[in-house]
Amino acid sequence: MSERSRIYVSKRSGVYKKVSFAQWQKEANKYSGTGKAGWDTYFCDFFPLSLSIFKEVLKRQRDGVWLHKRLLEMKEKYDVLISVVGFSPEPLMHTICSMNPKKVFPVMTREAMIEYTNTLDRKNYKNYFSEWLCYGGCENIEICDAIEVSTYEPIDTFSKVRGIIKTIRNKRGEDGGGSKNDLSIAIDVTGGKKSAVSAAYLVTVLEGDIDIFYVDFEEYDARKPPCGTEFLNKLDNPYDIYNIQLLNHAKALFENHRYDVAYDVFSQIETKMNPTGKDGEALYGLEDEWQVVKKMRQASSCYMNWDKYLYDDAENTDMCLDEKQKDQLSILRCYKEIEDKKAAYLSDMLYNFIIDRFLSAQRRWHENRSVKGQKKATIHGGYHDAMLRYFQCVEVMVDAYITRNIKDSDYHPDDEMYRLSMKQKLKLCFNGLFRKKHNSKDNKDGSEGDEMLFELTKTMQEKGLKGEISILIKHRDVFVHVRPKNQQKDVSLIETVVKELMGEVFYKENQEINQDLESLRFKRSFDEKGNMI
């Protein structure tokens, strides 16, 4: 049943009678919005019924069943309500009585304070508000001292409302009543001059985590809202929906290879801009902006999974990649499916694998150096993670070189019989020949071990490479203790070694290797349309 189709019991001058909504509304309109002269009659005779309709509508709004209005989300109980008070108290009393907060902080100009002062009856705003709250059945709400703001200076309202918020939150923390940020605060910007309302709205937007409300009306009659058509509306915080600061933070995370965190932030922004996730349903006409954020989130998802070597998952969002990166991702996915190590070392796709690991190591090292405001040596273990990946490249390529050039066709890198230490492998790679003696313990009869000959068809030619690798191998177990000032030297050395090994294993010139690294390096920023650049 519509609120307007009901029969109401109306009180008028102490007499109760049944009237239609239209009759009740006509009488109520005579006193609502008429200033001090009509307050007593309105709040005594008409406010209780108006409030009951308001609460019924609010219940339907919160249930999402009020026609043509979106779901209104609000907390069950607010600790504090900040009310911007003008010369018409009727709407704001609907908000106060329906929310029933613990405390109300009125924000008023000097002119408004005078309006709510009755020298004959010795009343001020507190007396009036307390009396009206009784009519609304809310006698336990504390009306705090009013905050007087300038009539003409919005900055005065801004600073004073901000001061209220900070004082309330700080006191909450000092009193031990929980975190100062878990205090539920709402603000009603229905009343007051536009300068005060806009300033109060702005400060709550910037402070964040404050629900913003105002009382609206379904109808206007001769520029005056009719009684009984009031409903509560909630203003979205634009910073919550499209927070430029938060978006720039997500871009900075992406730039510094923090793809998992960037993905979470982009996802939050995307959801707030378009809760349904359907094309054409972004809030406030932000469809183009939503599509841009969506692309950024997909790019973060792709790089996040790629960086974790989850190539199948990365391919699900590879629409953000250029053709060369798409080909690389597809090759890596195929290479990962090769289970036999010998086949993997003989595959042409090994080059793509090494390129990927090299770039992964560079990302870790870059992350170690580029995050602002933190000490270089303590950021996510970047140096240590980078060195482990570089070492993996060295070890894999040394094994691959032997596998590709050994004369013994039965050789298999996983066979225990062919196992060599890294020092022995280096001798084999640079000398082309290595004799390994089996330990007598390996023979069941206890006889002396046999000698196994390892022979390659060619040897590594890069001068100085053997010594450089030997230095790195000796250094491997102690690099975790390297001082930050010496880390760059280690990274430069091992990058040089990896590139030289790539030349030996894959017959690539250094220029070609650098070109491939550059073309496959993860992009770090976006253009205005959300495409990676």
Side-chain angles (χ1 to χ4, degrees), residues 173-203:
E174 293 169 2
D175 290 346
S179 169
K180 62 183 179 181
N181 292 322
D182 66 12
L183 192 71
S184 57
I185 303 176
I187 186 168
D188 180 3
V189 294
T190 306
K193 294 190 66 173
K194 291 180 180 178
S195 58
V197 168
S198 59
Y201 175 76
L202 179 59
V203 71

Side-chain angles (χ1 to χ4, degrees), residues 53-230:
I53 298 172
F54 188 82
K55 286 182 176 180
E56 177 62 26
V57 171
L58 180 58
K59 182 179 181 301
R60 297 187 183 191
Q61 288 177 276
R62 296 181 69 177
D63 292 339
V65 295
W66 194 38
L67 294 178
H68 313 302
K69 304 298 176 187
R70 62 188 175 93
L71 177 69
L72 189 145
E73 297 180 353
M74 59 185 294
K75 297 178 176 65
E76 288 296 327
K77 183 77 173 178
Y78 286 91
D79 296 298
V80 172
L81 174 65
I82 301 170
S83 293
V84 182
V85 181
F87 295 138
S88 299
E90 296 89 346
L92 68 89
M93 293 310 299
H94 283 76
T95 306
I96 294 173
C97 290
S98 61
M99 286 189 176
N100 198 23
K102 295 178 181 177
K103 294 183 178 182
V104 174
F105 285 83
V107 177
M108 310 167 71
T109 63
R110 167 60 61 179
E111 291 80 0
M113 284 188 170
I114 294 173
E115 179 70 10
Y116 290 92
T117 301
N118 187 325
T119 54
L120 292 176
D121 296 337
R122 295 182 180 180
K123 284 185 176 181
N124 60 19
Y125 68 92
K126 281 193 177 184
N127 303 126
Y128 278 117
F129 279 30
S130 297
E131 184 179 309
W132 298 336
L133 288 175
C134 289
Y135 291 131
C138 302
E139 300 177 20
N140 296 321
I141 298 175
E142 179 184 351
I143 303 298
C144 301
D145 292 338
I147 308 301
E148 184 181 341
V149 297
S150 170
T151 305
Y152 306 107
E153 295 294 336
I155 191 64
D156 183 62
T157 304
F158 181 96
S159 62
K160 288 179 178 176
V161 172
R162 191 178 192 189
I164 296 172
I165 296 169
K166 289 187 175 297
T167 299
I168 293 168
R169 286 177 167 169
N170 290 337
K171 190 174 188 306
R172 171 79 164 198
E174 293 169 2
D175 290 346
S179 169
K180 62 183 179 181
N181 292 322
D182 66 12
L183 192 71
S184 57
I185 303 176
I187 186 168
D188 180 3
V189 294
T190 306
K193 294 190 66 173
K194 291 180 180 178
S195 58
V197 168
S198 59
Y201 175 76
L202 179 59
V203 71
T204 51
V205 163
L206 295 175
E207 285 292 326
D209 199 26
I210 297 174
D211 290 341
I212 310 167
F213 297 96
Y214 72 98
V215 176
D216 207 342
F217 299 84
E218 292 184 72
E219 300 176 3
Y220 278 83
D221 183 9
R223 300 191 67 181
K224 177 182 176 181
C227 292
T229 65
E230 300 94 339

Side-chain angles (χ1 to χ4, degrees), residues 3 6 8 46-58 94:
E3 287 79 15
R6 295 175 178 175
Y8 292 91
F46 300 101
F47 178 64
L49 275 175
S50 181
L51 180 62
S52 68
I53 298 172
F54 188 82
K55 286 182 176 180
E56 177 62 26
V57 171
L58 180 58
H94 283 76

Side-chain angles (χ1 to χ4, degrees), residues 307-346:
D307 198 50
K308 296 176 181 177
Y309 313 137
L310 301 174
Y311 304 125
D312 289 335
D313 293 335
E315 277 197 322
N316 293 332
T317 50
D318 70 352
M319 68 286 293
C320 60
L321 304 177
D322 60 32
E323 290 305 315
K324 188 151 188 177
Q325 284 192 329
K326 284 183 180 179
D327 290 343
Q328 169 75 341
L329 185 57
S330 179
I331 291 171
L332 292 171
R333 185 180 59 78
C334 293
Y335 182 78
K336 191 176 181 180
E337 294 175 356
I338 302 176
E339 296 181 356
D340 182 74
K341 188 175 286 187
K342 182 174 182 179
Y345 287 164
L346 293 174

Side-chain angles (χ1 to χ4, degrees), residues 24 132 182 276 325 447 495 521 530:
W24 172 87
W132 298 336
D182 66 12
T276 68
Q325 284 192 329
S447 60
E495 283 190 353
R521 183 170 284 113

